[in-house]
Amino acid sequence: MMHLADSAPVTNNLLGSEADSQRTMYPYVTGTSVIGIKYKDGILFAADMGGSYGSTLRYKSVERLKSVGKHSVIGASGEISDFQEIMRYLDELILYDNMWDDGNSLGPKQVHNYLTRVMYNRRNMFNPLWNSLVLGGIKNGQKYLGTVSMIGVNYEDDHVATGFGNHLARPILRDEWHENLTYEEGVKLLEKCMRVLLYRDRSAVNKLQIAKITDEGFTLSEPYSLKTFWDFNAFNNPTLGAEGSW
Amino acid sequence: MTKQQANWSPYDNNGGTCVAIAGADYCVIAADTRMSTGYSILTRDYSKIIQLADKSVMASSGFQADVRALQKVLAARHLIYQHQHNKQMSCPAMAQLLSNTLYFKRFFPYYAFNVLGGLDSEGKGCVFTYDAVGSYERVGYSAQGSGATLITPFLDNQLKSPSPLLLPAKDAVTPLSEIEAIDLVKTCFASATERDIYTGDKVEMLVLNASGIRREFMELRKD
């Protein structure tokens, strides 16, 4: 008589092997939106300094904006460790570019193309770098601003954003961005977008940096906070007038 | 504990519509310039059209990253062809190459919906239409992408294409003039834009004829 309870457990090797444990399945420490705009002299980026661990705002001094070579800036949202890996790829790219010592240097368009190929290639191997990247810069007066997602979707535009920024910041930018914004106007516009994100994005933190790249070079601001206003009547007395409330 | 499943998809649909119409001595290839994801618009100014050879132009909608990779592969293959044969690829040759390239990834497809347009070796307009894995045929006109279901019936009606079952085989290229065909294409996009959320912003049109290639743009609704 068959004793089914005595059967040895079926070892299933068809559904993957040890190698699968190395693939990214989901992100752990993540950064939220990055916004970038072209302005008169170059490109401006804004990103907060939060690194969330699921719903916990675990790290509050994460620099998500970095310079790449002489002409570009990269901003990353998504898995922070994957961003650090991308920075290693980029540092190596720039190193080899410098080692040619031929007076030429990679511009933002080229770096963006490289990143797109890297992201797409990882997606093809089903082991993505879990990031949405913004890449911008200026070389010989030519401004460039582009973005690439974790599956390789890429495009360039006058203003770009990742994650929630696409939903909350892009509409503001579509309405208020124009060519030849001054530096002050650009920062004000970015701050307006970051404030909306701060109010409405659960994973935003009130500590941000602005990065600027022009033909003169790269600057990264000291971290600072935005002023917020919470003293609305509806917030002070949220249940006033509601049926069944007290 | 059950094995964790991947919760990301390697594919996305970035929307958009492509149309091509073949004439007696010209070919019109058009595509909108909107790129979307989900319910968001990513950019209003993205070209889905690429000129692969002198007389071959491809328009592709679907997953943008795959479309871009496909464009690069075909461009590279054409460059090699030129080195080896010292001439440009003909449109029917490019058509076969595209089919083979797509089928090569039959088990992890390029999510790209293509129309290839151009002039054949006799200078007549030709249009080839594809599915994502390379199945193709030469036709007189075609639409692919998110607005294709809205445009194709309209073109069927306006171009009165003869049945491919007729004997002797009747030519599928339209007797319309170049101007009339371009006007028809503009009408197609204006109509599709009304009802398809992924089509809009601008339509980019390339016209290939004996004198070369010409590009036109027309504004579309941005909502």
Side-chain angles (χ1 to χ4, degrees):
Chain A
M1 186 166 121
M2 277 225 318
H3 295 281
L4 291 167
D6 295 341
S7 318
V10 176
T11 47
N12 199 334
N13 284 329
L14 292 168
L15 289 175
S17 58
E18 283 174 14
D20 284 350
S21 69
Q22 297 297 320
R23 286 194 188 153
T24 304
M25 294 292 205
Y26 31 76
Y28 286 92
V29 181
T30 55
T32 185
S33 325
V34 181
I35 332 174
I37 56 173
K38 286 185 186 170
Y39 80 109
K40 189 160 62 80
D41 305 323
I43 316 288
L44 282 170
F45 278 52
D48 69 23
M49 301 190 75
S52 304
Y53 185 60
S55 51
T56 314
L57 295 176
R58 175 71 182 82
Y59 301 102
K60 298 190 186 176
S61 295
V62 180
E63 279 189 10
R64 301 193 289 117
L65 301 170
K66 298 274 185 198
S67 83
V68 181
K70 288 204 288 275
H71 306 285
S72 316
V73 188
I74 184 173
S77 67
E79 172 62 54
I80 300 297
S81 64
D82 280 350
F83 176 46
Q84 290 169 349
E85 181 79 347
I86 288 168
M87 285 317 297
R88 281 155 41 103
Y89 281 142
L90 287 176
D91 288 341
E92 189 185 47
L93 179 76
I94 300 298
L95 176 69
Y96 276 92
D97 188 39
N98 290 339
M99 278 162 63
W100 282 110
D101 199 21
D102 58 0
N104 198 7
S105 50
L106 290 170
K109 200 171 163 72
Q110 289 94 54
V111 177
H112 186 223
N113 190 58
Y114 173 78
L115 281 173
T116 304
R117 288 302 112 215
V118 167
M119 300 303 274
Y120 184 67
N121 195 240
R122 291 288 297 254
R123 164 260 184 201
N124 284 345
M125 298 193 289
F126 278 91
N127 186 198
L129 288 160
W130 206 289
N131 297 105
S132 283
L133 306 168
V134 176
L135 196 296
I138 179 167
K139 188 174 170 199
N140 300 330
Q142 279 263 55
K143 292 180 278 229
Y144 183 88
L145 182 59
T147 178
V148 57
S149 78
M150 71 183 250
I151 48 174
V153 173
N154 70 294
Y155 58 94
E156 51 165 311
D157 209 335
D158 297 323
H159 44 77
V160 294
T162 66
F164 263 97
N166 266 317
H167 293 102
L168 298 172
R170 290 301 286 293
I172 299 174
L173 295 169
R174 283 204 181 102
D175 196 29
E176 299 186 21
W177 183 90
H178 58 86
E179 287 227 47
N180 300 316
L181 285 165
T182 64
Y183 173 74
E184 288 75 27
E185 287 173 330
V187 172
K188 240 178 111 196
L189 187 53
L190 284 177
E191 285 182 347
K192 182 172 184 173
C193 295
M194 292 302 282
R195 187 171 286 107
V196 173
L197 286 167
L198 183 58
Y199 283 132
R200 291 296 179 179
D201 178 5
R202 200 178 69 161
S203 31
V205 299
N206 196 1
K207 186 176 169 193
L208 70 142
Q209 288 179 302
I210 304 273
K212 165 168 79 89
I213 183 132
T214 61
D215 267 326
E216 267 94 59
F218 168 79
T219 57
L220 183 62
S221 73
E222 281 299 302
Y224 69 102
S225 301
L226 296 169
K227 283 206 181 57
T228 56
F229 181 74
W230 298 94
D231 205 17
F232 292 104
N233 283 330
F235 292 172
N236 288 330
N237 219 344
T239 56
L240 187 68
E243 182 82 37
S245 69
W246 61 93
Chain B
M1 185 159 120
T2 48
K3 185 173 194 269
Q4 260 283 2
Q5 296 298 323
N7 47 14
W8 66 282
S9 169
Y11 292 112
D12 189 15
N13 188 355
N14 301 117
T17 309
C18 306
V19 170
I21 301 180
D25 60 351
Y26 66 87
C27 186
V28 187
I29 303 98
D32 70 327
T33 63
R34 173 177 286 180
M35 193 167 129
S36 334
T37 180
Y39 285 114
S40 296
I41 295 177
L42 292 173
T43 185
R44 299 189 189 274
D45 198 13
Y46 188 83
S47 175
K48 299 181 184 58
I49 304 182
I50 186 174
Q51 181 172 18
L52 292 168
D54 256 359
K55 306 207 168 108
S56 296
V57 175
M58 179 175 80
S60 322
S61 71
F63 174 43
Q64 185 267 343
D66 273 350
V67 167
R68 194 79 192 90
L70 180 64
Q71 289 175 347
K72 281 175 163 245
V73 166
L74 292 170
R77 289 298 299 271
H78 184 236
L79 192 59
I80 294 169
Y81 182 95
Q82 285 177 83
H83 286 145
Q84 291 176 341
H85 301 272
N86 197 24
K87 65 174 185 170
Q88 293 274 323
M89 268 177 95
S90 68
C91 196
M94 185 59 81
Q96 185 66 53
L97 178 63
L98 173 53
S99 171
N100 292 156
T101 306
L102 290 168
Y103 197 80
F104 188 72
K105 271 173 61 78
R106 170 67 177 76
F107 300 111
F108 186 16
Y110 289 112
Y111 191 80
F113 298 98
N114 310 290
V115 238
L116 184 73
L119 302 171
D120 65 15
S121 324
E122 297 162 14
K124 267 203 336 221
C126 60
V127 171
F128 298 89
T129 189
Y130 296 79
D131 71 0
V133 287
S135 161
Y136 82 112
E137 67 169 326
R138 182 171 176 174
V139 289
Y141 60 91
S142 175
Q144 289 281 358
S146 54
T149 47
L150 297 164
I151 291 175
T152 305
F154 176 62
L155 286 178
D156 287 339
N157 174 262
Q158 293 297 306
L159 295 173
K160 295 203 216 330
S161 202
S163 167
L165 302 168
L166 282 173
L167 279 173
K170 257 221 211 125
D171 222 348
V173 299
T174 177
L176 287 179
S177 76
E178 196 182 291
I179 313 283
E180 289 172 315
I182 293 169
D183 207 57
L184 193 59
V185 166
K186 289 179 179 174
T187 309
C188 285
F189 275 91
S191 311
T193 303
E194 291 291 316
R195 293 289 183 172
D196 176 27
I197 59 172
Y198 296 110
T199 303
D201 292 329
K202 261 204 311 254
V203 57
E204 180 187 8
M205 291 164 285
L206 260 74
V207 186
L208 262 118
N209 53 29
S211 14
I213 187 162
R214 188 176 90 246
R215 189 192 294 219
E216 254 186 75
F217 286 93
M218 184 182 84
E219 293 292 319
L220 295 170
R221 283 181 66 156
K222 303 186 185 324
D223 61 0

